[in-house]
PDB file of all heavy atoms in Angstrom:
ATOM      1  N   ASN U 195      18.216  47.316-126.407  1.00 96.00           N
ATOM      2  CA  ASN U 195      18.163  47.047-127.839  1.00 96.00           C
ATOM      3  C   ASN U 195      17.167  47.953-128.582  1.00 96.00           C
ATOM      4  O   ASN U 195      16.781  47.653-129.717  1.00 96.00           O
ATOM      5  CB  ASN U 195      17.833  45.570-128.113  1.00 96.00           C
ATOM      6  CG  ASN U 195      18.917  44.654-127.588  1.00 96.00           C
ATOM      7  OD1 ASN U 195      20.080  44.805-127.946  1.00 96.00           O
ATOM      8  ND2 ASN U 195      18.538  43.736-126.704  1.00 96.00           N
ATOM      9  N   ASP U 196      16.760  49.020-127.972  1.00 96.00           N
ATOM     10  CA  ASP U 196      15.858  49.997-128.595  1.00 96.00           C
ATOM     11  C   ASP U 196      16.653  51.288-128.746  1.00 96.00           C
ATOM     12  O   ASP U 196      16.672  52.146-127.865  1.00 96.00           O
ATOM     13  CB  ASP U 196      14.632  50.206-127.689  1.00 96.00           C
ATOM     14  CG  ASP U 196      13.599  51.137-128.325  1.00 96.00           C
ATOM     15  OD1 ASP U 196      13.815  51.573-129.481  1.00 96.00           O
ATOM     16  OD2 ASP U 196      12.590  51.452-127.643  1.00 96.00           O
ATOM     17  N   PHE U 197      17.330  51.399-129.879  1.00 96.00           N
ATOM     18  CA  PHE U 197      18.254  52.512-130.077  1.00 96.00           C
ATOM     19  C   PHE U 197      17.852  53.336-131.305  1.00 96.00           C
ATOM     20  O   PHE U 197      17.096  52.887-132.182  1.00 96.00           O
ATOM     21  CB  PHE U 197      19.687  51.993-130.238  1.00 96.00           C
ATOM     22  CG  PHE U 197      19.850  50.929-131.315  1.00 96.00           C
ATOM     23  CD1 PHE U 197      20.099  51.285-132.628  1.00 96.00           C
ATOM     24  CD2 PHE U 197      19.747  49.589-130.980  1.00 96.00           C
ATOM     25  CE1 PHE U 197      20.231  50.315-133.621  1.00 96.00           C
ATOM     26  CE2 PHE U 197      19.887  48.602-131.962  1.00 96.00           C
ATOM     27  CZ  PHE U 197      20.127  48.967-133.286  1.00 96.00           C
ATOM     28  N   LEU U 198      18.343  54.556-131.341  1.00 96.00           N
ATOM     29  CA  LEU U 198      18.079  55.480-132.449  1.00 96.00           C
ATOM     30  C   LEU U 198      19.397  55.667-133.203  1.00 96.00           C
ATOM     31  O   LEU U 198      20.278  56.377-132.723  1.00 96.00           O
ATOM     32  CB  LEU U 198      17.561  56.821-131.908  1.00 96.00           C
ATOM     33  CG  LEU U 198      16.294  56.716-131.062  1.00 96.00           C
ATOM     34  CD1 LEU U 198      15.929  58.066-130.479  1.00 96.00           C
ATOM     35  CD2 LEU U 198      15.137  56.182-131.901  1.00 96.00           C
ATOM     36  N   PRO U 199      19.560  55.042-134.350  1.00 97.00           N
ATOM     37  CA  PRO U 199      20.861  55.076-135.031  1.00 97.00           C
ATOM     38  C   PRO U 199      21.236  56.504-135.452  1.00 97.00           C
ATOM     39  O   PRO U 199      20.384  57.262-135.937  1.00 97.00           O
ATOM     40  CB  PRO U 199      20.635  54.203-136.263  1.00 97.00           C
ATOM     41  CG  PRO U 199      19.435  53.382-135.950  1.00 97.00           C
ATOM     42  CD  PRO U 199      18.586  54.230-135.067  1.00 97.00           C
ATOM     43  N   PRO U 200      22.482  56.888-135.293  1.00 98.00           N
ATOM     44  CA  PRO U 200      22.899  58.224-135.708  1.00 98.00           C
ATOM     45  C   PRO U 200      23.063  58.293-137.234  1.00 98.00           C
ATOM     46  O   PRO U 200      23.456  57.315-137.871  1.00 98.00           O
ATOM     47  CB  PRO U 200      24.256  58.408-135.013  1.00 98.00           C
ATOM     48  CG  PRO U 200      24.782  57.018-134.857  1.00 98.00           C
ATOM     49  CD  PRO U 200      23.566  56.140-134.635  1.00 98.00           C
ATOM     50  N   LYS U 201      22.753  59.441-137.776  1.00 96.00           N
ATOM     51  CA  LYS U 201      22.991  59.692-139.201  1.00 96.00           C
ATOM     52  C   LYS U 201      24.408  60.212-139.362  1.00 96.00           C
ATOM     53  O   LYS U 201      24.776  61.227-138.745  1.00 96.00           O
ATOM     54  CB  LYS U 201      21.984  60.713-139.728  1.00 96.00           C
ATOM     55  CG  LYS U 201      20.529  60.235-139.698  1.00 96.00           C
ATOM     56  CD  LYS U 201      19.579  61.335-140.143  1.00 96.00           C
ATOM     57  CE  LYS U 201      18.140  60.836-140.200  1.00 96.00           C
ATOM     58  NZ  LYS U 201      17.629  60.445-138.864  1.00 96.00           N
ATOM     59  N   ARG U 202      25.201  59.552-140.181  1.00 95.00           N
ATOM     60  CA  ARG U 202      26.603  59.925-140.341  1.00 95.00           C
ATOM     61  C   ARG U 202      26.894  60.536-141.708  1.00 95.00           C
ATOM     62  O   ARG U 202      27.989  61.065-141.919  1.00 95.00           O
ATOM     63  CB  ARG U 202      27.503  58.702-140.134  1.00 95.00           C
ATOM     64  CG  ARG U 202      27.484  58.150-138.707  1.00 95.00           C
ATOM     65  CD  ARG U 202      28.466  57.013-138.548  1.00 95.00           C
ATOM     66  NE  ARG U 202      28.604  56.614-137.144  1.00 95.00           N
ATOM     67  CZ  ARG U 202      27.872  55.671-136.564  1.00 95.00           C
ATOM     68  NH1 ARG U 202      26.935  55.040-137.259  1.00 95.00           N
ATOM     69  NH2 ARG U 202      28.051  55.361-135.295  1.00 95.00           N
ATOM     70  N   ASP U 203      25.971  60.467-142.623  1.00 89.00           N
ATOM     71  CA  ASP U 203      26.157  60.989-143.970  1.00 89.00           C
ATOM     72  C   ASP U 203      25.528  62.395-144.050  1.00 89.00           C
ATOM     73  O   ASP U 203      24.327  62.536-143.849  1.00 89.00           O
ATOM     74  CB  ASP U 203      25.472  60.058-144.963  1.00 89.00           C
ATOM     75  CG  ASP U 203      25.694  60.456-146.410  1.00 89.00           C
ATOM     76  OD1 ASP U 203      26.074  61.617-146.669  1.00 89.00           O
ATOM     77  OD2 ASP U 203      25.472  59.598-147.307  1.00 89.00           O
ATOM     78  N   PRO U 204      26.337  63.436-144.321  1.00 88.00           N
ATOM     79  CA  PRO U 204      25.768  64.783-144.386  1.00 88.00           C
ATOM     80  C   PRO U 204      24.610  64.906-145.371  1.00 88.00           C
ATOM     81  O   PRO U 204      23.666  65.649-145.122  1.00 88.00           O
ATOM     82  CB  PRO U 204      26.955  65.643-144.835  1.00 88.00           C
ATOM     83  CG  PRO U 204      28.153  64.914-144.349  1.00 88.00           C
ATOM     84  CD  PRO U 204      27.798  63.454-144.496  1.00 88.00           C
ATOM     85  N   LYS U 205      24.657  64.172-146.480  1.00 85.00           N
ATOM     86  CA  LYS U 205      23.566  64.228-147.441  1.00 85.00           C
ATOM     87  C   LYS U 205      22.274  63.716-146.836  1.00 85.00           C
ATOM     88  O   LYS U 205      21.188  64.284-147.017  1.00 85.00           O
ATOM     89  CB  LYS U 205      23.919  63.433-148.686  1.00 85.00           C
ATOM     90  CG  LYS U 205      22.889  63.513-149.799  1.00 85.00           C
ATOM     91  CD  LYS U 205      23.407  62.920-151.101  1.00 85.00           C
ATOM     92  CE  LYS U 205      23.479  61.418-151.023  1.00 85.00           C
ATOM     93  NZ  LYS U 205      22.142  60.788-150.983  1.00 85.00           N
ATOM     94  N   VAL U 206      22.355  62.612-146.085  1.00 87.00           N
ATOM     95  CA  VAL U 206      21.170  62.056-145.429  1.00 87.00           C
ATOM     96  C   VAL U 206      20.630  63.042-144.392  1.00 87.00           C
ATOM     97  O   VAL U 206      19.420  63.246-144.269  1.00 87.00           O
ATOM     98  CB  VAL U 206      21.511  60.698-144.794  1.00 87.00           C
ATOM     99  CG1 VAL U 206      20.349  60.186-143.939  1.00 87.00           C
ATOM    100  CG2 VAL U 206      21.864  59.678-145.861  1.00 87.00           C
ATOM    101  N   ILE U 207      21.524  63.661-143.622  1.00 89.00           N
ATOM    102  CA  ILE U 207      21.108  64.657-142.637  1.00 89.00           C
ATOM    103  C   ILE U 207      20.425  65.841-143.314  1.00 89.00           C
ATOM    104  O   ILE U 207      19.362  66.300-142.887  1.00 89.00           O
ATOM    105  CB  ILE U 207      22.320  65.120-141.809  1.00 89.00           C
ATOM    106  CG1 ILE U 207      22.908  63.949-141.022  1.00 89.00           C
ATOM    107  CG2 ILE U 207      21.921  66.246-140.844  1.00 89.00           C
ATOM    108  CD1 ILE U 207      24.245  64.256-140.372  1.00 89.00           C
ATOM    109  N   PHE U 208      21.049  66.332-144.385  1.00 83.00           N
ATOM    110  CA  PHE U 208      20.485  67.460-145.119  1.00 83.00           C
ATOM    111  C   PHE U 208      19.073  67.144-145.593  1.00 83.00           C
ATOM    112  O   PHE U 208      18.127  67.925-145.409  1.00 83.00           O
ATOM    113  CB  PHE U 208      21.386  67.801-146.312  1.00 83.00           C
ATOM    114  CG  PHE U 208      20.979  69.018-147.082  1.00 83.00           C
ATOM    115  CD1 PHE U 208      21.519  70.255-146.804  1.00 83.00           C
ATOM    116  CD2 PHE U 208      20.044  68.931-148.104  1.00 83.00           C
ATOM    117  CE1 PHE U 208      21.133  71.385-147.508  1.00 83.00           C
ATOM    118  CE2 PHE U 208      19.649  70.040-148.829  1.00 83.00           C
ATOM    119  CZ  PHE U 208      20.213  71.277-148.531  1.00 83.00           C
ATOM    120  N   ASP U 209      18.901  65.970-146.216  1.00 82.00           N
ATOM    121  CA  ASP U 209      17.597  65.598-146.739  1.00 82.00           C
ATOM    122  C   ASP U 209      16.569  65.432-145.618  1.00 82.00           C
ATOM    123  O   ASP U 209      15.399  65.786-145.768  1.00 82.00           O
ATOM    124  CB  ASP U 209      17.701  64.333-147.575  1.00 82.00           C
ATOM    125  CG  ASP U 209      18.347  64.566-148.923  1.00 82.00           C
ATOM    126  OD1 ASP U 209      18.549  65.732-149.289  1.00 82.00           O
ATOM    127  OD2 ASP U 209      18.663  63.585-149.604  1.00 82.00           O
ATOM    128  N   ALA U 210      16.998  64.866-144.500  1.00 86.00           N
ATOM    129  CA  ALA U 210      16.067  64.692-143.374  1.00 86.00           C
ATOM    130  C   ALA U 210      15.544  66.035-142.875  1.00 86.00           C
ATOM    131  O   ALA U 210      14.362  66.194-142.553  1.00 86.00           O
ATOM    132  CB  ALA U 210      16.751  63.929-142.243  1.00 86.00           C
TER     133      ALA U 210
END
Side-chain angles (χ1 to χ4, degrees):
N195 296 304
D196 184 3
F197 54 88
L198 303 175
K201 296 176 176 64
R202 294 184 171 91
D203 185 342
K205 184 170 72 70
V206 172
I207 297 169
F208 185 94
D209 286 350

